Amino acid sequence: MTFDRIAMVDWSGGNDTGPTPRPDAIWIGTPEGPPDYLRNRQLAEDRLAGLIDDALTAGDTLCLGFDFPFGYPAGFAAALTGTADPFAVWHWLADRIEDAPKANNRFDVAASINASMPGQGPFWANALKRDIPHLPRLKPASIAFPERRVAEAQTSGAFTLWQLAGAGAVGSQALMGLPVLARLRARFPDRIAVWPFDPLDRPVTFLEIWPSLLNDAVRRAMRVEGGVKDAVQVTTVARALAGLSAPDLSRLLDVTAPEEGWIFGLGHEDVLADAARPRAPRLTNDCFALPRGVDWLPVADALAHLRNAMRPVTAVTDEPLATAGGRRLATDITALRANPPAANSAVDGYGFAGPAADGPHRLPLLPGRAAAGAPFGGTVPPGHALRILTGALVPDGVDTVILDEDSSVSGGEIAFRGPLKRGANVRKAGEDVTSGAPILAQGLRLRPPDLALAAATGHARLPVHAPLRVAVLSTGDEVTDPAPDAPPSRTFDANRPMLLDLIARWGMTPVDLGRVPDDPAALTRALDRATTEADAILTSGGASAGDEDHVSALLGAQGTRHHWRIALKPGRPLALGQWGHLPVFGLPGNPVAALVCTLVFARPALSVMAGGPWLDPTRLTLPASFTKSKKPGRTEYLRARLTDAGVETFPSEGSGRISGLSWATGLVELGPDAATITPGTPVTYLPFADLMS
């Protein structure tokens, strides 16, 4: 079995934590993130009900994980309710726990339970200022029940459910969480299964799972994502649940614990850890589907729809600077320390306390010096100077430096002529970058200067996306590799070398799937290979709806397929679909149309999938040096290049004229409206230097 949707909850037993996200609050995370912060249990209960309702409405299965125990040590349920049924405890608590954002009665309820038990009741740790009869502030010497469940006894460092306050107050989490779960079960009758008490034959499953089982994975994620640990925990655990294979999930769910419950994954921490490792997420099924009734799409509408369908699909790794170049940043980066971290000298010279007024000055020179990496250990008294070199930290008593060439040394003194303002030739601490300041933005493709800035501000490693792997496949019986003895009936494959090089120029990893004939079996093998070697597929040829368009037919029969009839020239319908979990961009076979469609549609989409921004092309408004009368209806792209007179276009608009691509240095973009272009008319020029880098 698997789940369509997964969310993990970090629960709190305390009061409202305020509007600012913070630890020890309630966080709800999904595999995709970012997590939600809920300041109190009332908001969290509403949010959980919404998640359940959304899943049921969509017909999806949902797994909700919680980090508090679902049951108590053996014997407690029967002593409290007269039955060993753990749900009887849930209902008992739901009837008595009173909860508001700023107050609750959990300590009084625990005291009443203690009072009803023979001997010393199990609960302890009163955190209130007032004393409560039957609720000791400290752990009693003995209680009438086991201190821990069987599962907790097998967990290193597990706290007891009887503790209500202080570090590790799991008892308060359960007292305040179980009534919420009881109400959700009542709100959605017969739709929720609670593991391991119920058969898992309902659309929603409640699961007890502890983030402490994934401590190493959480630490790795903290290095990459930073922020509040609780927030990182829920996302990490949700990713682990989503990463479990169906056999592993079924094996870990195969537990019998009818009264106490169990901690999911206990004893299988290695399986959970492997499932939590960064993996490429996936686009939603049928992500390219258009609304019903859409016929010819304007280019702007097609791009807007494509933009809404895209999200990053590459895994995030923590890379040393030496291997992070060219990768996309996964998060915003701030300076770990200021640059420079302390005031230092910008020149070789002599430091003193400024300013120096107009006229001659003589200052006694202290023994010693300040050098880069070898600071002066003392203080420079007023009216004295110290030898200081470029990059050296300015010692106490120094705020101004006179250059070597503007001073002289004689008899243990330096002499120079003012004026010299205070702070001259001194770099202030943080004058370049202050500690905590944003330095690099999420999605940035890292260049050498970016790596220098990261290093200068304290970063040895950076969280980056793995390179997007883009497979390229040419199709058609007539297509062959260039060869001197090829008959005229064969077409040399111009698309594959063009597209593979383009992908590499974009900082992505090209995957060459070669050529395949118009044979469904061969196409199937090539597309199946792509699912293990790539994150996206570009095909050329066979993408329309004709008898020999096997790419389109296969996508329709075994994947998903949509023909986007775009009001575009050059270009035919763009076939977009999915094969397995991979998006497929079905390009026209004509190289001119294939390149235009790739630059206009695939380039920005692949950038988002790679973890980067949506890339709008650079548009320059320049005078035309050509004449054209354009009809309304379609957006047109003309091969063009710059001249002294402005922008000229290739003499032929024929989509088979590949020489025009090599001749051109960019494209002229003419919008969907009618237009009359004469020399001097302003036109929009898209340079290849931008589109191909």
Side-chain angles (χ1 to χ4, degrees), residues 323-399:
T323 57
R327 306 275 284 273
R328 294 280 186 184
L329 266 180
T331 63
D332 293 335
I333 301 297
T334 57
L336 297 179
R337 79 171 190 180
N339 183 49
N344 65 86
S345 178
V347 298
D348 290 343
Y350 299 89
F352 58 94
D358 191 13
H361 295 269
R362 298 184 72 86
L363 299 176
L365 186 62
L366 292 179
R369 69 173 191 173
F376 180 70
T379 299
V380 178
H384 289 69
L386 178 76
R387 177 63 169 162
I388 190 166
L389 303 181
T390 302
L393 299 185
V394 295
D396 291 341
V398 171
D399 58 18

Side-chain angles (χ1 to χ4, degrees), residues 58 92 175 289 332 394 490 522 561 593 688-689:
W92 192 97
L175 283 181
D332 293 335
V394 295
R490 306 303 296 274
R561 176 202 63 199
F688 280 162

